[in-house]
Amino acid sequence: MSSDVRFTDFKSDKQPTWCPGCGDFGTMNGMMKALANTGNDPDNTFVVAGIGCSGKIGTYMHSYALHGVHGRALPVGTGVKMARPDIEVMVAGGDGDGYSIGAGHFVHAVRRNVDMSYVVMDNRIYGLTKGQASPTSRSDFETSTTPDGSQQPPVNPLALALASGATFIAQSFASDALRHTEIVEAAIEHDGFGFVNVFSPCVTFNDVDTYDYFRDTLIDLDEEGHDPTDADAAKEVILDADKEYQGIIYQDENSVPYHELHGVTGDMSEVPEGAPEGAMDLVREFY
Amino acid sequence: MAADLNWAIGGEAGDGIDSTGKIFAQALARAGRHVFTSKDFASRIRGGYTAYKIRTSVDDVQSVVDRLDILVALTQRTIDENLDEMHEGSAVIYDGERSWEAEIPEEITAVDVPLKSLAEEAGGAIMRNVVALGAACEITGFDVAYLDEALEKRFGGKGSKIVENNKEAARLGQEYVAEEYDLSHLGYEMETTDADYVLLNGDEAIGMGAIAAGCKFYAGYPITPATAVMEYLTGRIEQFGGHVVQAEDELSAINMALGAARAGARSMTATSGPGIDLMTETFGLIATSETPLVIVDVMRSGPSTGMPTKQEQGDLNMLLYGGHGEIPRFVLAPTTIDECFWKTIEAFNLAETYQTPVYLVGDLAMAVTEQTFPPEAFDMDAVEIDRGKLVDDEEVDEWVDEKGRFRAHANTDDGISPRAIPGTVDGAHMSTGLEHDELGRRTEDTDVRVEQVDKRNRKVETAIEREDWEYREFGDPDADDLVISWGSNEGALVEALDRLEDDGVSVRVLSVPYIFPRPDLTEEIEAANDVIVVECNATGQFANLIEHDALTRVKRINKYTGVRFKADELAAQIQERLAEEVPAQ
């Protein structure tokens, strides 16, 4: 890993096709800066993304990457990290990708506490399919598929993470570049599953959860004197239905990542030219 | 008396049928006898009829037959279920002290042994099956010392007290029969040899093959009859620097395996038909992103939940055609348990050489059957590894464009691109299920689309030319009639040849371990008079392929009862088909 990596080294020469003003620009910039600031290098970084606007991120970034199928980015990231604990793994997704089709995987990735960061670009709408309700859409939000509002309460991803045993829960805002970068950096540096829900406004289809809305309502936990190691305080923030927060909400300082807990610390990409040494013992076992 | 002996234990699930059968099978293998086992079980944890059958001989045995010589019956139903296979020389070991009344026909020798009481005398009622094993040794004249060895292997980890108690239980069973009965008229002789055999089933052979091939990562979700692959690897793969993850579902399992493969590890998942359904979406991604991955399908009876604990070879069409769009792939189907080992290794080599997903197809009959082999059948020194076009830091330079970007999907003559794994300097690139250019970037350019589709398909064309897609041949090479089989039917078919020969019928048998690509059998088919395709499904999926390839009609033997073919029934059915008119061309 070279020490003079700049965040632009993580940028590809492909121009993003996100709508002008999309929150995903800021979200991605923060991710690239956080990767560079934490001493990573494109050749030692693996970015996984699913489907949707968020899924395009692998194209606009430069690193080893896989753009997979809808909702399954976390298992892919898990497989990469197990095989190569030496590689920095970052998973990107959207609210549909992560909390709807991939909700099951989210719960299990959290509980496994695999050492990777998971950045969810939450715009509370389905953007790429042109404006349908998402799992984080407000229940009264009117969309093409919910003309009278969805009538279903939104998923609280932070609560889902907490209930699944998360060791790092954070929330950031794409437009607050410094704080967002700082929070993603902390997620990368966390020993375990670093989960960041990012408010990443959709300027085309969501006229409720806008930049102005978040600017006006977001409460910064640092300014509140919040202690992220205090589980009870974290629970209060997460279950507060009336306010929106940014910052590191919860961090378990004693977190032991999966690969260390299970002794999966070697590089699995090495394969000998024949059967591994001692393989004949496997045959003798059947005697 | 027949040279081979057919033994079975039956009772309710939860009675320890399986482990008792396994102990006896191991004892026989230790005595240098060949063993072929089969299991009959229901999809439930406790209760329901379950049986473990052993066919054993000093000669090679590869099939089950319609004859039962010694039966350990723990329930009345066990006797009822097996009556049609018993004969005048058969003996039934049962416990007359049990509440059920054993109704055993007169011509069959009833051996009433107080299994429970003797087991309690040895230290616990749980050992009643071992008492029965001791009794079986006495009836067959099998040296109980081999049973002692098997008991030591089985219970050694639980302490010497448990081992001694079990040995005592076996001895009590043996002595009881010796004192109470004179069974010399049955005339059983259990010859032993100096041979050292290993005893294993198809799932274990696949797991062992994976480790031999350098597989380090496995993710799976439990499903009958593929779970034993994961159970085998768990606890063993770690000794070789690998890891097993029990995923939350099959979708996760295949995606984890995909992630590990992209990170450079030899990676595998195994499931059965319903799991393949769930994995199919990602299967397309694996092929399009050109990721090497081995996906094992241990088939069971379908569709839907079907009969989860019963045999069938019904997934062929799905494995060949499953997934939207057109997906280049390889489909390998080992025909015997030892071939499960070798074909698993070959599957990894093909996956990495051609950077494609490879389906390895087993079936329930092979997965749960234990069979003896000389250890040399799994000669680890003969294992060869081919990682294909994996490039290192220096070689990457040959594959970058003018801007220094790695061409991960470079369009080459053989269709195979270089592969750089994370950590390779200047090899960073994205892979995607979207149509992409040489750099892996999304494209809708018509020329690039056609170029990349052709490139991926060309890998299969290259493989068809380069690799040896052979078949296995048995029987009379000059016979007029041809029998074609795939998967686990081979053993029964090979044994059927002896019975056919007794009736003066000779056939040539081709057993095909490759489904796609597969050997071209046109010449063999054209030279034959009758062609019969044998398979465990209702619609003749492999027969349809053969007809398509050779542009001719074939005769078919299909079995979809949920039970595997037996040698004697196959011999009879082949004779029947040969007598039928040749189907219209």
Side-chain angles (χ1 to χ4, degrees), chain B residues 389 399 407 409-418 438 455 458:
Chain B
K389 289 190 190 171
W399 294 100
R407 293 158 60 221
H409 302 282
N411 186 26
T412 57
D413 289 344
D414 60 5
I416 307 163
S417 308
E438 287 196 323
K455 180 204 113 63
R458 201 154 60 244

Side-chain angles (χ1 to χ4, degrees), chain B residues 232-425:
Chain B
Y232 175 82
L233 289 171
T234 305
R236 288 187 181 80
I237 204 169
E238 289 85 353
Q239 297 162 27
F240 297 88
H243 188 65
V244 171
V245 179
Q246 181 172 323
E248 56 272 23
D249 53 36
E250 287 87 348
L251 303 154
S252 178
I254 193 168
N255 278 282
M256 283 184 190
L258 162 63
R262 288 224 69 86
R266 283 196 156 192
S267 173
M268 183 171 94
T269 183
T271 184
S272 189
I276 295 285
D277 286 346
L278 294 174
M279 291 181 178
T280 302
E281 181 191 27
T282 300
F283 185 78
L285 166 66
I286 291 161
T288 308
S289 63
E290 306 197 76
T291 307
L293 198 69
V294 177
I295 303 148
V296 180
D297 175 22
V298 186
M299 296 180 290
R300 66 188 209 185
S301 176
S304 191
T305 320
M307 298 194 290
T309 62
K310 303 297 173 190
Q311 161 72 349
E312 202 159 283
Q313 296 176 295
D315 296 351
L316 200 53
N317 287 340
M318 171 168 67
L319 299 172
L320 273 171
Y321 308 117
H324 64 278
E326 297 165 307
I327 306 172
R329 68 190 83 195
F330 297 120
V331 184
L332 273 57
T335 56
T336 58
I337 289 167
D338 50 341
E339 277 300 302
C340 284
F341 173 80
W342 293 107
K343 286 284 175 284
T344 303
I345 296 163
E346 189 178 342
F348 277 101
N349 286 340
L350 286 172
E352 287 207 317
T353 301
Y354 298 99
Q355 296 166 34
T356 49
V358 179
Y359 275 132
L360 184 80
V361 196
D363 56 45
L364 181 132
M366 197 152 50
V368 302
T369 290
E370 273 122 9
Q371 197 180 339
T372 39
F373 296 91
E376 305 84 73
F378 308 98
D379 179 12
M380 292 291 177
D381 291 336
V383 173
E384 287 173 13
I385 304 297
D386 186 353
R387 303 211 70 190
K389 289 190 190 171
L390 192 59
V391 296
D392 60 23
D393 291 355
E394 283 80 46
E395 292 160 330
V396 160
D397 290 345
E398 298 166 30
W399 294 100
V400 295
D401 68 1
E402 69 287 348
K403 288 186 179 171
R405 300 173 299 196
F406 181 63
R407 293 158 60 221
H409 302 282
N411 186 26
T412 57
D413 289 344
D414 60 5
I416 307 163
S417 308
R419 185 160 71 103
I421 58 169
T424 310
V425 176

Side-chain angles (χ1 to χ4, degrees), chain A residues 31-159:
Chain A
M31 290 160 74
M32 294 191 292
K33 282 179 185 160
L35 280 166
N37 292 351
T38 48
N40 292 295
D41 167 305
D43 289 332
N44 287 289
T45 302
F46 202 108
V47 174
V48 191
I51 298 292
C53 293
S54 65
K56 295 179 169 186
I57 197 160
T59 314
Y60 310 142
M61 286 176 66
H62 174 65
S63 71
Y64 283 92
L66 184 89
H67 173 217
V69 295
H70 202 23
R72 321 288 168 214
L74 284 171
V76 174
T78 301
V80 174
K81 193 69 193 182
M82 302 262 173
R84 299 290 299 279
D86 58 317
I87 295 295
E88 184 62 42
V89 179
M90 181 176 273
V91 180
D95 39 319
D97 193 67
Y99 308 144
S100 201
I101 187 165
H105 303 311
F106 177 57
V107 168
H108 293 279
V110 168
R111 87 176 163 97
R112 282 190 193 103
N113 200 29
V114 177
D115 190 19
M116 56 190 183
S117 46
Y118 181 41
V119 180
V120 180
M121 298 142 133
D122 183 2
N123 57 13
R124 299 177 171 174
I125 188 102
Y126 282 137
L128 204 55
T129 50
K130 304 194 174 187
Q132 300 79 33
S134 100
T136 49
S137 295
R138 298 156 193 248
S139 59
D140 59 354
F141 191 43
E142 292 171 12
T143 72
S144 65
T145 51
T146 56
D148 303 318
S150 73
Q151 315 290 328
Q152 298 177 60
V155 162
N156 179 342
L158 309 175

